[in-house]
Amino acid sequence: MTTTPERGSDPDEGGEAGEAAEATLGDGLEELIADVEEAIEPLEATVDMTPLDHPHRLLLVHAHPDDEVLSTGGTMAMYAEKHALVTLVTCTLGEEGEVVVPELRHLASDRDDTLGPYRIGELAASCEALGVKDHRFLGGAGRWRDSGMMGEPTNDRVDCFWQADLPEAARDLVAIMREIRPQVVITYDENGAYGHPDHIQANRVTVAAFELSADPSYAPELGEPWQPAKLYYSAIPRSQFREGMKALAERGVETGFGG
Ligand SMILES: [Zn+2]
């Protein structure tokens, strides 16, 4: 699937693309995100999106592109295959992610800072692979920026998800909950599984929206109240985590988790 952003995707214009990205930082980044969204929109328009046609509806709230696969990919693929409506809400574009592919290193936040738009394309490809047809960004693409790891200066940026206004973010999620009317909602535990600020915030926003969505006195303009039946926190068994770390260590991969 080719949903890679146009800019910089042609190897022949690598140098030029790098300059263009640099020149368009700031306001230009919003334009770039809009370009990518426009490229993906025709794909989404072909999808049958009448939520209540599906008797089973599942809503997942994740912090960054790629999180959907890391902890819930199997669940999403299984329910999508069973024709449940699987809706993925991603809260940020993952702009602060570490770029491990050398050819893509220029996308990183300390260089071109174009990782976010690039990951919109990756996320679309991920959803395609999982069979997930309904994906949204909380508040729209680029509304909240990746906060980076806990303790990093990026936690203090006014536009980052860690600094998000909780009522505003929860309201955006309530609108989706009342539209989709999911029976089951999935997000992280209170510690965001491993302490990443955006994962913690995703938990807070989801828990708040889970309560508010059912409250008839809350924002009636967002639609009929809806109480999802269940809220699950994803979890990885300690034993499985240890096995994974061991397997990586055996392959000589430095995990940063020590012993
Ligand atoms: Zn994440």
Side-chain angles (χ1 to χ4, degrees):
M1 182 164 145
T2 53
T3 50
T4 315
E6 279 171 29
R7 216 164 296 195
S9 61
D10 182 349
D12 294 340
E13 47 175 35
E16 228 175 86
E19 274 164 43
E22 202 161 304
T24 56
L25 279 187
D27 287 349
L29 199 55
E30 268 171 44
E31 242 172 73
L32 183 54
I33 289 171
D35 284 353
V36 175
E37 282 224 295
E38 214 172 283
I40 291 171
E41 228 162 67
L43 291 171
E44 292 180 341
T46 62
V47 164
D48 162 28
M49 295 276 288
T50 315
L52 301 183
D53 285 351
H54 299 260
H56 298 111
R57 300 176 300 275
L58 174 65
L59 173 68
L60 299 101
V61 183
H62 276 297
H64 311 108
D66 81 8
D67 288 324
E68 73 285 350
V69 181
L70 290 174
S71 56
T72 54
T75 304
M76 294 169 79
M78 185 184 79
Y79 282 105
E81 206 194 349
K82 289 181 174 182
H83 306 294
L85 176 68
V86 179
T87 299
L88 169 65
V89 174
T90 307
C91 299
T92 77
L93 301 184
E95 294 93 334
E96 297 294 337
E98 187 191 347
V99 182
V100 292
V101 181
E103 304 86 77
L104 297 179
R105 198 147 288 160
H106 67 95
L107 299 170
S109 61
D110 60 349
R111 291 186 53 193
D112 297 349
D113 196 18
T114 48
L115 185 57
Y118 187 84
R119 294 185 84 175
I120 294 177
E122 289 188 334
L123 188 55
S126 169
C127 286
E128 170 102 354
L130 294 170
V132 169
K133 291 169 179 163
D134 186 13
H135 172 261
R136 296 111 187 274
F137 286 101
L138 188 68
R143 172 64 189 91
W144 304 112
R145 189 181 161 95
D146 185 343
S147 310
M149 296 299 251
M150 190 62 94
E152 295 293 325
T154 46
N155 298 172
D156 300 325
R157 282 183 63 135
V158 289
D159 55 349
C160 83
F161 193 45
W162 187 233
Q163 299 293 339
D165 178 54
L166 187 60
E168 182 196 333
R171 187 188 155 88
D172 287 338
L173 192 55
V174 168
I176 296 171
M177 273 187 196
R178 289 184 178 173
E179 178 201 337
I180 298 299
R181 300 165 82 84
Q183 290 95 354
V184 175
V185 177
I186 301 178
T187 191
Y188 318 102
D189 65 15
E190 296 88 344
N191 187 42
Y194 73 107
H196 192 295
D198 294 331
H199 289 232
I200 294 172
Q201 193 76 305
N203 167 278
R204 291 175 180 170
V205 169
T206 307
V207 170
F210 188 86
E211 303 286 330
L212 291 170
S213 174
D215 180 349
S217 67
Y218 177 76
E221 68 279 12
L222 296 181
E224 292 286 310
W226 175 256
Q227 177 65 78
K230 293 186 177 183
L231 173 60
Y232 285 110
Y233 295 167
S234 61
I236 300 173
R238 203 176 288 260
S239 56
Q240 204 179 65
F241 190 78
R242 278 212 193 92
E243 270 171 39
M245 290 300 113
K246 209 175 134 212
L248 285 170
E250 280 166 10
R251 285 166 175 75
V253 178
E254 176 48 57
T255 61
F257 283 94

